[in-house]
Amino acid sequence: MDEFVIAPAPVPVVPVEDERGAALGGFPVRRILCVGRNYAAHRREMGGDDRDPPFFFSKPADAVVPPGRDPAYPTRTADLHHEVELVVAIGGAGRDLDVAQALDAVYGYAVGVDLTRRDLQARAKDKGQPWDAAKGFDDSAPISAIRRWQGPAPTGRITLSVNGAVKQDGSVADMIWNVAEIVAEASKLWGLAPGDLIYTGTPEGVGPLVRGDRVEGEVEGVGKLTFTVR
Ligand code: MN
């Protein structure tokens, strides 16, 4: 094929920083996987059964909102919710990885917010319908710069505040599936490749956002994410 018949869409890019915060370049996003119900207290606040294992859903790559941009309040919802999450950036290929190899596929980590149309999600759950409209809408995946990272995965505090008031305050160590287990599990369902992002689930305290809200998310040792809902 010689030429495209329409202009190809630009590749979504997230900036990368080294361990000291210096810019390293851009991380081209291939796709976004997300883990649902990966913290017991959040699973309970969503009415889930204590024996339900975590599971995956996805968002399109162009749902990412890199630092410096503000997400638009989505259409067709009256209940937009924040979910602060540790994000794993994949730098290596992987199929059928075991837990011991899984961290070798990790390039780095970021702070993300899995924005959710909670009203549409509740309706989809009731009817047994897919979550795409509830989870995979435009601007639904704000993310901080990715921090290059080698070695054991982060396990520190994860927080989110709205207009300065703390709404979510948990610990990444409380995840039901840890990072290695998430990457290994994902690699059994998909062929992971450089550019994949995995949002790893949110602790308790999710709640609504309105236009003009200033949101700050942080994962200890990984970074901070700040945006205003426009
Ligand atoms: Mn989530």
Side-chain angles (χ1 to χ4, degrees):
M1 208 73 67
D2 288 342
E3 284 178 13
F4 294 116
V5 297
I6 54 172
V11 176
V13 177
V14 180
V16 178
E17 296 176 348
D18 70 11
E19 292 82 349
R20 297 187 190 115
L24 285 178
F27 183 91
V29 180
R30 192 179 83 112
R31 69 181 162 196
I32 304 174
L33 301 173
C34 303
V35 182
R37 296 186 195 148
N38 199 26
Y39 290 78
H42 172 65
R43 184 173 58 186
R44 279 195 295 277
E45 80 180 344
M46 297 306 295
D49 188 287
D50 276 357
R51 291 160 302 181
D52 288 344
F55 57 89
F56 291 97
F57 59 92
S58 67
K59 296 180 186 249
D62 65 2
V64 287
V65 183
R69 262 185 52 203
D70 291 323
Y73 194 96
T75 55
R76 298 287 186 111
T77 183
D79 198 19
L80 177 69
H81 270 210
H82 57 76
E83 299 189 354
V84 67
E85 312 202 354
L86 174 70
V87 181
V88 182
I90 299 294
R95 275 181 198 275
D96 207 18
L97 299 173
D98 62 40
V99 171
Q101 322 165 288
L103 293 185
D104 295 343
V106 174
Y107 178 87
Y109 296 94
V111 187
V113 176
D114 166 18
L115 290 175
T116 303
R117 285 166 164 145
R118 193 70 76 201
D119 41 4
L120 298 200
Q121 187 195 32
R123 217 170 302 159
K125 283 180 182 173
D126 279 352
K127 295 183 176 173
Q129 290 176 344
W131 286 12
D132 302 61
K135 288 290 198 179
F137 51 89
D138 298 347
D139 285 1
S140 60
I143 190 168
S144 70
I146 292 166
R147 178 153 300 213
R148 181 81 174 108
W149 193 290
Q150 278 151 324
T155 53
R157 194 170 173 193
I158 178 167
T159 57
L160 179 137
S161 67
V162 180
N163 303 321
V166 177
K167 302 292 185 183
Q168 295 188 263
D169 187 354
S171 171
V172 171
D174 289 338
M175 292 200 298
I176 295 168
W177 284 347
N178 65 28
V179 170
E181 290 167 334
I182 290 167
V183 173
E185 193 66 30
S187 77
K188 293 176 169 66
L189 289 162
W190 295 276
L192 297 178
D196 291 346
L197 296 175
I198 308 177
Y199 284 60
T200 59
T202 196
E204 67 190 298
V206 301
L209 293 171
V210 297
R211 282 194 180 85
D213 277 347
R214 186 86 181 143
V215 177
E216 279 188 42
E218 183 168 6
V219 176
E220 193 179 353
V222 172
K224 270 188 196 180
L225 163 65
T226 307
F227 60 85
T228 301
V229 180
R230 63 184 169 85

